[in-house]
Amino acid sequence: MLVGMSCLSGTPRSYTDEQIAFWEDEAFPVLEENCWKCHGISKKIRGGLILTTLEGVLKGGEFGPSVDLKNPEASLLLKMTSHQDKDHEMPPDGKMSDEDIAVLAKWIEMGVPFPNADEVEPEGEIVHHGPDYEKAKSHWGFRKPDQVAIPDEKLGAHPIDRFINKRLKAAEVSTNGRAGDQVLLRRVYYDLIGLPPRPAEVQEYLADQSPEKFTNLIERLLKSPHYGEKWGRHWLDLVRYAETNGYERDGNKPQIWRYRDYVINSFNQNKPYDRMVLEHIAGR
Ligand code: HEC
């Protein structure tokens, strides 16, 4: 009954009554309600996929054709709507009912009849959603820093304190008093290496009379191998580091520790950010 199959070369398709009825009563309402707001009817087209035209369905989006007419069950559209593709679940805000998914499966099996394809009009001009490079250029991260005047000396000894105190004063908030040596030492340890100081290190620091003792402490902790372990973790979180794959096929990644150690060592070597990004792109 797949009357419309020859149409793929561009000739208009003809449909059986059964196909037309199925489209009107079943497939069209499901697509319209669940998919079209992101895939055709509104100005923003998500994933480069238009589902309001037959051409759009067959061509697909960034990942290629949404339907596989030779092997309907393997269609990308079905994998996503039935949540077999865990990274891309459609619609993104919640799974449809099994009945609705079955409708889409049958629609593909019937050869995606789309009798009124020409009548579906998007609201206004279609704009493909993607990065706006012109707008991005004005982001603060891409602009040269402006030289700003440092607030008055009366606001604090260190220039950074002055900026903070200026805002606090404006908000009528006052600072706590200075932290004592012991409190400061503990904070610095946690911030830089993620571990508390040993009792002997506390004693040593408290006994130290040198005016450079704080600077020396910072230098020592920055040189510690634990520094990379503590701060590399933030990078590993951002790249979603894991030692297994996750989800139900939760296989191990037995070699992934090499990447973990590379990140830790990079932090310990004080590798600049641009070099780090370059190495990631090169190693992809
Ligand atoms: C709220 C917006 C939204 C809705 C509603 C939605 N999608 Fe998507 N869709 C997306 C986004 C965003 C992508 C891009 C990939 C991603 O982020 O997962 C996408 C990608 C896809 C893709 C892959 C396209 C490609 O080749 O790159 C398919 C197939 C798809 N959607 C099918 C559907 C179907 C079928 C429905 C309705 C049942 C639907 N989507 C509803 C937002 C949506």
Side-chain angles (χ1 to χ4, degrees):
M1 288 291 262
L2 297 179
V3 180
M5 294 295 276
S6 62
C7 62
L8 303 191
S9 52
T11 38
R13 305 169 110 194
S14 53
Y15 296 102
T16 62
D17 289 348
E18 191 201 359
Q19 281 176 315
I20 293 173
F22 183 78
W23 167 257
E24 283 173 0
D25 301 338
E26 311 271 350
F28 163 74
V30 170
L31 287 166
E32 185 189 36
E33 188 183 333
N34 297 290
C35 319
W36 282 0
K37 70 174 174 188
C38 299
H39 294 298
I41 215 88
S42 87
K43 281 194 162 190
K44 280 186 182 165
I45 303 295
R46 304 293 178 165
L49 175 64
I50 295 178
L51 289 178
T52 47
T53 67
L54 176 62
E55 194 197 348
V57 176
L58 297 177
K59 188 164 144 276
E62 289 154 20
F63 300 123
S66 304
V67 295
D68 183 340
L69 294 177
K70 292 211 182 77
N71 187 7
E73 278 164 37
S75 296
L76 185 64
L77 190 151
L78 288 181
K79 284 192 186 142
M80 290 189 176
T81 47
S82 62
H83 291 199
Q84 284 170 51
D85 182 332
K86 293 287 173 195
D87 290 330
H88 309 278
E89 297 177 339
M90 293 296 141
D93 48 4
K95 200 174 173 188
M96 296 189 298
S97 67
D98 289 346
E99 293 81 56
D100 284 352
I101 297 170
V103 164
L104 293 179
K106 187 163 177 213
W107 179 57
I108 299 172
E109 214 171 281
M110 288 175 110
V112 287
F114 218 130
N116 61 342
D118 302 338
E119 292 160 27
V120 183
E121 288 284 337
E123 291 163 6
E125 178 200 359
I126 290 183
V127 180
H128 280 272
H129 185 55
D132 181 341
Y133 292 106
E134 280 313 307
K135 201 169 149 219
K137 280 183 197 161
S138 64
H139 183 268
W140 64 263
F142 298 112
R143 292 205 320 254
K144 274 195 175 166
D146 297 327
Q147 180 75 48
V148 289
I150 297 172
D152 197 89
E153 272 174 47
K154 273 180 269 164
L155 284 164
H158 195 283
I160 292 179
D161 288 344
R162 293 182 215 159
F163 281 105
I164 294 171
N165 288 335
K166 193 177 162 191
R167 288 286 290 272
L168 290 179
K169 221 176 141 188
E172 295 181 19
V173 178
S174 56
T175 49
N176 283 334
R178 272 185 93 85
D181 268 359
Q182 195 161 349
V183 171
L184 190 60
L185 181 72
R186 209 176 154 80
R187 285 185 192 159
V188 166
Y189 262 75
Y190 275 121
D191 273 353
L192 291 184
I193 64 169
L195 300 166
R198 292 203 171 85
E201 289 168 323
V202 179
Q203 294 313 325
E204 199 185 314
Y205 188 74
L206 295 180
D208 190 345
Q209 299 296 321
S210 132
E212 275 90 48
K213 72 171 180 174
F214 186 68
T215 315
N216 294 341
L217 168 70
I218 301 283
E219 290 297 342
R220 181 164 62 78
L221 293 180
L222 287 177
K223 286 197 187 96
S224 157
H226 301 312
Y227 169 77
E229 292 162 7
K230 153 90 185 180
W231 284 93
R233 278 186 48 201
H234 295 294
W235 183 282
L236 292 173
D237 281 348
L238 280 177
V239 300
R240 309 204 303 182
Y241 175 83
E243 293 178 4
T244 67
N245 286 318
Y247 295 120
E248 64 265 35
R249 290 180 300 279
D250 195 16
N252 288 328
K253 296 178 171 183
Q255 301 296 325
I256 197 70
W257 60 269
R258 294 177 196 277
Y259 175 73
R260 178 200 64 196
D261 285 6
Y262 156 80
V263 170
I264 293 172
N265 292 335
S266 298
F267 274 78
N268 282 335
Q269 289 158 13
N270 208 11
K271 188 176 286 169
Y273 177 75
D274 55 351
R275 174 77 205 178
M276 186 85 170
V277 172
L278 193 76
E279 289 180 3
H280 273 70
I281 295 170
R284 221 185 98 128

